[in-house]
Amino acid sequence: MRPLQTTLKFATWLLCLFVCQTAWGQGLTGSVLSDKGDLLPGVSVQAENQRTHQKYAALSDEHGVFEFKKLTVGEIYDLSFTFMGYAPGSYKGFVIKQAGNNSLMIRLHEDTKGLNEVVVTALGVKKELKKIGYAVQEVKGADLVKARDANPVTGLTGKVAGLSVAANPELMGTPSLVMRGNQITLFVVDGVPISSDTWNISPDDIESYSVLKGPAAAALYGSRAQYGAILITTKKANPKRGFVVEVNSTNSFDKGFIAVPHVQHEYGGGMYGLYAYADGFGGGLQDAQYQLWGPRFRGQLIPQYDGAYDANTTYTTTFGDQVYKGHIKPEPYLNRGYVNGKGNLERFLRAGFQTTNNISLSASGEKYAMRFSLSQSHQEGIVPNTGVNIINFNTTASYKASDRLTFNTNFNFSRTYTPNIPDVTYGPNSLVYDLSVWTGDEWSVTSPDIRGKWQPGYKDVKIVFPEHVHYNNPWMMVEDWLRGHYKTDVNGYISANYKLDKHLDVTGRTQVTTYNLLRTEKMPWGAYTYARTLGQGDYREDRRNMFESNTDLLLNYNYNVTPLVNLTGLVGANWREFTYSSNFTSTDYLVIPKVYNFTNSLNALMTNNFNSDMRVLSAYASMDATIGRYATLSFTGRVDKSSALPKGSNVYFYPSVALASVVSDYVKLPDFISFLKVRGSYATVHGDATAATIGATPYNTYTQLSGSTAGTLTTNFSQYGINYLSPYNGPDYSLQAVYATSKPYNNVTAASSSTNIFDPNIKTFNRVNFEEGFDIRFLENRLGFSATAFQYIDGPQILQNAVSPASGYTGYYINALKTRKTGYELTLNGTAIKTKDFAWDVLVNWSTFKDVYDELPPGQTYYNTFFKKGDRTDKLYNTGFVKSPDGQIAYDAGGKPLKNPVNQFLGYMNGDFQWAINNSFRYKQLSLSFQFDGNVGGVISNRLYSLTMQGGANIATVEGAIGKSRLDDDQNAGVSSYKGTYVGKGVQVSNGAAIKYDNFGKITNYGELQFAPNTATSTVQTWATQYYGQIQEGMLTSKTYAKLREVVIGYALPKAWLKKSYISNVNVSLVGRNLLYFYKDNKYKGIDVEQYNTASAASGLQTPTTRRFGFNLNVVF
Amino acid sequence: MKKLIIFAAVIIGMSSCKKSFDDLYVNNNKPIGVQASLLFNGLLAGLVDAPGGQLDRISQYQLQNNSYFGNNQYNFGSGDNLYLNLTNVVNMEKQALAAGAAPRNPYSALGKFFRAYYFAKMSLEMGDIPMTEALNGAANLQPKYDDQKTVFSNCLNLLDSANTDLAALIAANDRTLTGDMYFSNNLKQWQKVVNTYKLRLLIHLSKKANSDEDLNIPARFAAVLNDPATYPIMTGMSDNLQYVWLNPTNKYPLNKETFANGSLNNSASTYVGLLTTLKDPRVFVTTDPAPGVVSSGGSPTDFSSFKGGDIGADMGVLATQNGAGVISYINRWRYYSGYTAENTFIIGYIEMCFNIAEGINRGWATGDAEAWYKAGIKASWAFYGVPDAGAMTVYSLPLGVPVSGPYVQSTVNVNFDNYYAQSNVKYAGNNDAGLTEILQQKYIAFFCNSGLEPYFNWRRTKVPAFSTGVGNGNNNMVAMRYKYLSQDQSANTANYNAAIVQYGNVDDINGIMWILK
């Protein structure tokens, strides 16, 4: 055996050819092996006579042996070998000798990234990448299981151009999966859609993820895939490998903050430098809903929450002119919370921990292939007493009843359960509200009274804490105020495939996906939050059930019409049934503490339920016409009839067409270009009135909870607590006028009319997509570059257009408004170095898009007050500063910045582009990979920054000129004539003229205004509140960031070591995730801007994000 | 293949449908039709303007001292969108007819009142508004604006028509109204409300009384006073259209659970200063003495201990004064110590007394202005529990004491006659001084009730003097109108643009609307 030749006839793959030539006899026989030495059955072999161009074909048998019997002695033949998953091989100029046997042995290289690679496309159809006329990118499941994140899909971050995956910093938070600016909501497993909150996917059971980027790719799924889809192919037993056991285990911990508020430790709670505790409920001096504008820690005597109470003694505390008298004994006012360089928040949080273990068994024989897998994951959150457990079983089986008939089944059970996850919203129900923003070092999280939670004699009734209106004892919040989440997901399918002949096969498949969810909240006595001011607890249950089935019947065909033209495709029909029901019940306070039962409600129970059903009948067809080596033209069509739309307009059709042509197959290109494919596609998709997610109380609010009143599926029923959104994909009933009912007075029902009107002829909305691109490979395929451009025309949409309120309504549902989205995606991948022992691979993804208004509703020059045709849809309009002509901030006579009375354009909410660079190195058994990714451009109102500046917590409030004035403010606390010393940078109108504005807030009389530098002084607190609180422009921050996303150091034990054991493979890896977070200004680094990957105007609060370090062990028996 | 088809058929059969596509389309979770009484309930519950917020600041009774929680600025945005309420009125009327009610029925009669009430309220806030072309849904998405005179004229006619209808229904002993949380379905009470409210609207038109003959304001005013049989009006406090607060479902916005908010607001000098100038004992009931003044030795029953903050001042100044304890809070005993504080007037008898006094003062009708003026003051005293003569217990809460107390209890001696004998209280006659006295007393009686009425009255008469300054925002001015509903700028552009021509093509909050000219 000796290497003879290496050819590079095709472009996308690496190819090595080893041919052994020995004398064996007449004709030609040979065998085909993989580069690992396995015999390859089913390889197509072609022999072409160099002189006559006559062609002969053969197929290797189960021993990898092929045979040509009719070759002519003395003639010279070119041989080519093709096999799916392997790089093609060829051998040119084989001379058939008269005497002896002619024999060949050839090795094909397993192809890891060639363009003859197959990818999974819509309905689970595998296609060769070179025949696909639209962008699709595949990610191997194995790439995501090592440096795994808590969430199964956040590992896709940076792996696919155009897909932005924003990890959610919260335990059990749902990541934001944005493809080309829209949230992906469709997850398809082995060709059938499943309901997913992303947590019910078990990464260990995933062979690969295919990301369908645009409508053309997803046209066969109809409206659910209009924003793209994530197709998941589950692992199956490998028919070649017999019985295999694989164990994969990852243990990781979360430690070291990358995004945590930077706070001051010099001033405590209070306002205007004042503080004296009486009851934490407003009885004292600024002792309730205070901010961190209290006195400086100077050891001065101040009544505090743990001071001794003496009804018979009146203690006097003086701040300037304020003479405060109370019965709490004043004690030295000192910093208690900041210990050894860590504040209360850092000292309260712990290292998170996660262990994920999977064992899978696969078995295969002549007629069957089965795989059983069990995964278990246990995560402990960085917030004490929080965590998540996930159990997952997965079974796939395939049975070949005959040569023609095959049955396949997949069953997946997933249970996500936790007795307690934190509630991270803005409000006293949220730990981060307490610890990141509003309380400071005037108390210590480790002091015994705080740790003991309950006041002596009032266990389970009254809490120990400095404040009792808006802030809660954190230990009570995590140990007593418990929020359970119990979700069971089941999905599976059974299918039968019957081969009618070599051209046709038919598949029948039925699938179900269903979940059952229970969420509970136990709010103890002594806990206070918005709208729950009595402090006597509550108990809530939120139960949801979703069931969906999809039954498909489809016929696959594959015909060679002429030697040049091949037609493949399918014709099918789908029946989708959907049903959902939910029930939400809450007590209205508890009579007896700790009895979390509805019978224990103090006032009438608050309860509601919701039911919905939907059916969609569909027929679809696809055809790929391959015209020799020139091109593949693909057509798809789908027609849906959906019950989510009104009669008369509930049937709609989606067409798509795509063209792919491998130019390098038929045009001679310069040698350095080894492959060039061009592609283009067009598709139209429609949508109905459905919603991807649903909340706890669709269409209902409760007066007692001060919820918002919008009648939608995601109506926010309560002023506190998260309105958890679970997967839905059912009807949203938005096109129907219904009366809203509520109990506004004395628990008596009242009704109000729909605030919307509807065009009776309303139709589905339209998305038209054009996509163009090319894939090119250079330098013997070492370097690949892929570029895609896309244009979406969205509209006419189903638009809830704002109408004149005088019509009696606020919204008119019509078909109107078009937006045009254009974008570009680039992928570069390559092997910088490849030798026997060392390899360096690089993957770079880059993407950008923008969306503009293309056609406004009829008769309107403006849409949403500010937007004109051609404007980007992500322009952020919000409150802005008034400015002088030279751009300086204008101040009023009180030294506060002036707010423009009309919202102003502040910036674009979307980033300019996203990027990711992944490097992987392999040296012998050792591998190292790391990824940087990030976003450039875009702005957001940073609420955490705003709140910490307004609230006096931010470290910037004690630094520089601000910090100097803050000292003055503290010295003058309570002095009634004091007006502060801080002078904001900017100007004032110096001639007393009034500023005049037009309807867009533009100043119309600059000519009458004279400006001079601002000289008015202010206290830091009142200045900061106006600057950072009342004016969004003051809290605007950039969304530009970069992260060192993941680092994996792996080692595969040499096979030689394992030879004598039952073990065939052992891989160990050290992994790190989110190790570095680059953001240009530390002041703003309290939030992880990564999570805001959509056009969102403002950030929220978050639990600090941490680095993750782990160890992965993978053993295959 | 056959097996497969059977297999597929079985599976499809298993998921066989029970409902048709049309049935599945319908949202069964909410009604598509409701009884008129349920819409009526909703309208009634929404009539009240809750105290304890922006309204009290606009009328300069209370001020905010912490700009994190709000401010005292007059940078008005859009006025109230009451068209949604009016759609409920339209549907209430339709549903009543659909349920078989006679063309003249209590819902249609009260529907006319609601229409007048909501259209007039929007016009008072914004000026010209769409009325005659409004409420037509998709049939007219760009309704033109009616000038304010047309709006008021229509509203007065609607009230007359409601009065006529109610009289007929009362005569016919109609008992078909249900769900009335204010008057237990007693139409006679509603008839008094309608005519009392009409007096309010006529008073709002005072600047047009002599110049506008079409509206015929003095005659319409006199007709109500002179013909009580046709136009019954309120005769006492039991006739008030007022919101009664309930625990636990409808707590007064200020209550012992929201006590901590109390320190974010102070009493404003516009109100407190007027009371203390008049040596009015109502100040002891509505206001606490400034805590720092008392802790430094001031008496909780001395008028000089009651200090309002200057609402026109910079927020930083107010914050500092509050911190130093030199400005007062609202009376915590009355407003914060329980759950229901006081009833909140929507259309009240006391206001009516002053409206009548004003009309007579202006010469629109003959009568004893002083008697109505005095009746108004006395009713207000009684509302606050101030006796005509004798000892009154007053309560205040010092700093350092929880909302549960102990409150400081003091006794003050009051005497109405002495109070009334003061020259700035005693009615000065049907002249400008007398009018100012009426307006001052009306302002005092409007404390924490009747929505924006005190502001509208100030805007019309400039009594009492409102404080102005940097704290007002808006170039240090009190705004004169609300902006139009913002959707009209994009969705009803031509009509919106036509409506703002009078303000120099800007939707200007300092523009002067027709009734103020």
Side-chain angles (χ1 to χ4, degrees), chain A residues 283 533 615 736 745 753 804 808, chain B residues 17 25 87-88 244 250 257 400 488:
Chain A
T533 46
R615 181 182 307 137
Q736 298 176 47
Y745 189 74
S753 310
S804 171
Chain B
C17 46
Y25 176 66
T87 296
N88 290 328
V244 179
N250 304 87
E257 291 171 17
D488 261 16

Side-chain angles (χ1 to χ4, degrees), chain A residues 852-865:
Chain A
V852 299
Y853 288 107
D854 210 25
E855 184 183 298
L856 301 186
Q860 291 185 208
T861 328
Y862 287 96
Y863 177 67
N864 276 347
T865 311

Side-chain angles (χ1 to χ4, degrees), chain A residues 271-272 274 278-279 281-286 288-289 291 321-325 426 438 469 494 496 498 500 506-508 510 533-534 549 551 553 575 577 589 603 609-611 613-615 617 641-647 650 699-700 733 735-741 744-753 755 757 802-810 812 860 862-865 892-894 896 901-902 947 950 974-976 978-979 994-995 997-1000 1021-1022 1025-1026 1030, chain B residues 1 4 7-8 11-12 15-22 24-27 29-34 38-39 41-42 45 65-71 73 81 83-84 87-88 91 95 130 133-138 140-143 181 243-246 248-251 256-261 263-264 291-292 295-296 314-317 319-326 339 398-403 470 475 477 483 485-493 496-497 500 505-507:
Chain A
M271 296 273 199
Y272 313 110
L274 306 168
D279 61 351
F281 200 76
L285 191 60
Q286 306 291 357
Q289 56 192 22
Q291 303 177 340
D321 301 329
Q322 176 69 273
V323 180
Y324 173 84
K325 289 176 179 165
Y426 184 81
W438 294 125
V469 179
I494 181 161
Y498 187 81
L500 296 167
V506 62
T507 301
T510 192
T533 46
L534 185 62
S549 73
T551 301
L553 185 65
W575 177 312
E577 284 284 331
Y589 297 118
N603 303 316
N609 66 302
F610 176 80
N611 292 298
D613 297 289
M614 183 171 72
R615 181 182 307 137
L617 296 180
K641 180 176 182 183
S642 165
S643 71
L645 283 169
K647 196 177 179 177
N650 60 2
Y699 288 93
N700 265 296
Y733 298 128
L735 301 179
Q736 298 176 47
V738 290
Y739 283 92
T741 54
Y745 189 74
N746 199 20
N747 270 328
V748 176
T749 299
S752 61
S753 310
T755 59
I757 41 179
V803 290
S804 171
S807 68
Y809 300 89
T810 53
Y812 185 29
Q860 291 185 208
Y862 287 96
Y863 177 67
N864 276 347
T865 311
D892 68 17
K896 311 297 184 299
V902 184
L947 293 169
Q950 292 185 77
V975 176
S976 64
Y978 179 67
K979 289 188 174 176
I995 304 171
Y997 306 89
D998 70 8
N999 286 338
F1000 293 95
Q1021 181 181 350
T1022 52
T1025 305
Q1026 178 74 4
Q1030 301 296 316
Chain B
M1 182 65 194
L4 200 70
F7 169 74
I11 285 163
I12 291 169
S15 54
S16 69
C17 46
K18 294 184 188 97
K19 286 180 170 180
S20 73
F21 269 79
D22 294 346
L24 286 167
Y25 176 66
V26 176
N27 180 0
N29 298 286
K30 285 285 158 187
I32 54 168
V34 294
L38 296 188
L39 289 159
N41 277 344
N65 63 41
N66 186 318
S67 51
Y68 178 81
F69 295 91
N71 58 50
Q73 297 186 356
N81 176 7
Y83 290 105
L84 295 174
T87 296
N88 290 328
N91 286 329
Q95 297 280 356
E133 292 187 4
L135 305 179
N136 287 310
N140 188 349
L141 291 169
Q142 300 192 325
M181 62 184 259
Y243 193 90
V244 179
W245 301 91
L246 299 174
T249 55
N250 304 87
K251 296 170 196 160
K256 64 178 168 190
E257 291 171 17
T258 65
F259 171 66
N261 296 333
S263 63
L264 305 172
S295 64
S296 309
D314 172 59
M315 290 288 283
V317 170
T320 306
Q321 290 178 350
N322 174 59
V326 298
Y339 285 105
L399 274 179
V401 181
V403 65
V470 65
N475 292 310
M477 289 183 284
K483 287 188 183 182
L485 301 174
S486 60
Q487 296 89 336
D488 261 16
Q489 194 178 342
S490 307
N492 192 9
T493 312
Y496 168 88
N497 285 341
I500 59 175
N505 297 313
V506 178
D507 195 354

Side-chain angles (χ1 to χ4, degrees), chain A residues 1072-1090:
Chain A
R1073 276 196 78 78
N1074 299 324
L1075 297 179
L1076 298 170
Y1077 172 41
F1078 302 95
Y1079 192 90
K1080 83 176 165 196
D1081 194 334
N1082 270 347
K1083 290 199 296 284
Y1084 308 115
K1085 230 174 144 178
I1087 62 164
D1088 199 343
V1089 287
E1090 172 200 345

